[in-house]
Structure formats: structure tokens, C-alpha cells
């Protein structure tokens, strides 16, 4: 839609911070108050609104989108949403290894094994490592621990965590990133080992590169959203 305001600002509100467009408060698509938990996030959301041109492009406003999702979609049933993310632990990317060639097997192990070692210490749990893609159940205790860790996040944190999980295919990697065990570049490198291997072996495809770049933008935006919650 056309831009209908001159300026956006973040201002204190009951329960947090709100965004005002020419003095009028912003609401979510479900007409809920867009109240944000931190000043830094509110200022980042206001900056997205101020950066719009003559037309508003929601795709250029990821923080606003994550906040809307937290309030409208996740907050009404946070445990159900967290449970859907926790289910990724049953088939986590880091637990399914290539059967060959040896260079790919070694690359996966060198990057993924340290993250799994962190998860073992952090959650006092173990993981089944599977060669190939045939499903193998993870220990029940491990799944309970991962679910408990996911349920500990509030609606806003879940909104940021969700893209990290779904884009990477790894709940473990997303939790490691959210807790500072790896940085965002390390997490992205871990999530895209297979894609980089294929590109190095067979050459880059322009369309595949564009898709991967879009995924990285979304992944990075989700991580930045989490860092703005404090």
C-alpha cells in the first residue's frame, strides 16, 4: 500500500514500547496493539517504517513481521508453537551425515561435531548420528530436553527462533546460536555445508545462489531480532 505517514517513532507504552506513525499507534494485522518488549527492538521496527519509500514493502520489514507473528500467531498458543519447533529435534540436520565422499563426511564432522558436543553438555543428553537419510529415533530423554529448552522461550523469542530452525533444518544449531555457543556466520556455515560442497564440485547456479542469499538474509534477520529482545 501507499505510504500514508511522514515519520515513525518508538515510544514507551504500558507493558513495553510501541510504534507511532505521525502520533498514531501501530496495530498488528489482527488489530492487536504492537507492543514490543525492548526499546532497541522498537527503535529497529520504527527504522523499518521510516525506511519505506512511496509504497510500503512488507518484505523489507522483517522485524515488524516477526513482532506481528509473535503477537498474533504465537502468543495465543505458545506451547503448541514451541512444540512444532521442538519436533525438528527428531530429524535434526546435524544428526544425519553424508555417506560419501570422504571430503564431505569430514567437513560435516569438523563443523557439526563441536555443536553436538555443546548440546551434549548443555542438555545432558546424547544424540544418534545417522549415516544417510533413513530415520532413526533419538533417545526419548534427548527429545524431552530439547522440548523443554524450546518451551522456555517466550512468544517473541520463539518468533525469532522459528526461522533459524526452519531455514537451517536444525533445532540444535538454532539453540546454539540463540545462546551464543556459535555466532551467526558459524551457524550459517554449518547450515549450508552441503550446498557449498555441491557448488564447489559442480559449479554455482545463479538461481540457486539467489535462493541461498535470500535464505541467508532471512536467517540473519531472525538472529538480529533475537539480539534486540534484551
Amino acid at each position: 500500500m501507499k505510504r500514508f505517514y511522514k515519520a515513525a517513532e518508538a515510544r514507551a507504552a504500558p507493558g513495553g514500547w510501541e510504534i507511532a506513525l505521525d502520533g498514531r499507534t501501530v496495530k498488528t494485522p489482527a488489530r492487536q496493539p504492537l507492543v514490543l518488549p525492548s526499546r532497541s527492538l522498537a527503535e529497529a521496527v520504527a527504522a523499518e517504517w521510516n525506511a519505506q519509500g512511496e509504497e510500503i514493502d512488507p518484505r523489507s520489514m522483517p522485524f515488524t513481521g516477526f513482532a506481528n507473528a509473535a503477537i498474533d500467531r504465537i502468543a495465543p498458543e505458545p506451547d503448541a508453537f514451541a512444540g512444532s519447533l521442538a519436533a525438528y529435534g527428531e530429524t535434526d540436520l546435524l544428526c544425519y551425515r553424508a555417506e560419501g565422499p570422504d571430503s564431505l563426511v569430514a567437513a560435516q564432522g569438523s563443523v557439526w561435531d563441536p555443536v553436538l558436543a555443546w548440546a551434549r553438555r548443555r542438555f545432558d543428553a546424547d544424540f544418534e548420528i545417522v549415516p544417510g537419510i533413513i530415520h532413526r529415533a533419538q533417545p526419548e530423554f534427548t527429545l524431552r530436553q530439547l522440548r523443554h529448552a524450546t518451551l522456555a522461550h517466550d512468544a517473541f523469542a520463539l518468533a525469532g527462533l522459528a526461522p533459524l530452525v526452519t531455514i537451517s533444518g536444525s533445532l540444535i544449531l538454532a539453540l546454539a546460536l540463540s545462546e551464543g555457543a556459535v555466532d551467526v556466520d558459524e551457524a550459517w556455515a554449518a547450515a549450508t555445508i552441503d550446498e557449498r560442497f555441491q557448488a564447489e564440485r559442480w559449479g554455482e547456479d545463479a538461481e540457486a545462489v539467489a535462493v541461498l542469499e535470500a535464505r541467508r538474509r532471512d536467517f540473519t534477520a531472525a538472529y538480529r531480532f533475537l539480539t534486540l529482545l534484551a
Side-chain angles (χ1 to χ4, degrees):
M1 58 182 174
K2 296 289 186 181
R3 179 167 176 162
F4 55 89
Y5 58 92
K6 293 182 179 179
E9 64 173 335
R11 63 189 186 187
W17 295 79
E18 65 182 11
I19 308 302
L21 306 179
D22 296 340
R24 301 182 64 179
T25 56
V26 175
K27 294 186 181 295
T28 69
R31 309 304 298 167
Q32 298 295 316
L34 183 64
V35 177
L36 307 169
S38 72
R39 179 175 182 173
S40 55
L41 176 59
E43 289 176 344
V45 170
E48 288 183 333
W49 286 88
N50 282 323
Q52 298 304 300
E54 293 183 1
E55 294 187 353
I56 298 174
D57 180 8
R59 294 171 297 181
S60 67
M61 305 170 72
F63 300 150
T64 303
F66 294 146
N68 285 336
I71 295 167
D72 289 349
R73 294 178 48 211
I74 302 173
E77 294 185 285
D79 288 356
F81 189 88
S84 68
L85 290 184
Y88 276 77
E90 299 173 13
T91 56
D92 198 281
L93 172 73
L94 305 192
C95 296
Y96 287 81
R97 306 298 176 89
E99 296 178 278
D102 291 345
S103 56
L104 177 56
V105 174
Q108 290 176 342
S110 67
V111 176
W112 294 353
D113 286 351
V115 182
L116 286 176
W118 168 84
R120 290 187 179 97
R121 296 190 302 270
R122 172 66 177 82
F123 304 117
D124 190 26
D126 204 0
F127 301 90
E128 289 283 343
I129 307 302
V130 183
I133 59 174
I134 302 301
H135 177 262
R136 184 182 301 173
Q138 295 294 327
E140 285 297 324
F141 179 75
T142 296
L143 295 178
R144 286 198 301 271
Q145 290 292 81
L146 292 176
R147 179 179 175 83
H148 179 74
T150 308
L151 287 168
H153 293 74
D154 65 19
F156 277 87
L158 288 170
L161 189 68
L164 300 180
V165 175
T166 57
I167 292 171
S168 70
S170 174
L171 173 64
I172 298 166
L173 187 59
L175 291 172
L177 177 56
S178 70
E179 297 192 18
V182 296
D183 64 32
V184 67
D185 291 331
E186 291 170 333
W188 181 250
T192 55
I193 285 178
D194 292 352
E195 289 87 344
R196 292 201 313 278
F197 178 83
Q198 294 298 330
E200 290 168 1
R201 190 171 192 182
W202 306 110
E204 290 186 336
D205 173 81
E207 184 175 348
V209 169
V211 170
L212 199 61
E213 288 176 349
R215 287 172 58 203
R216 180 163 193 170
R217 285 194 298 272
D218 292 343
F219 191 84
T220 302
Y223 170 71
R224 287 189 59 208
F225 181 83
L226 285 179
T227 66
L228 293 169
L229 295 178

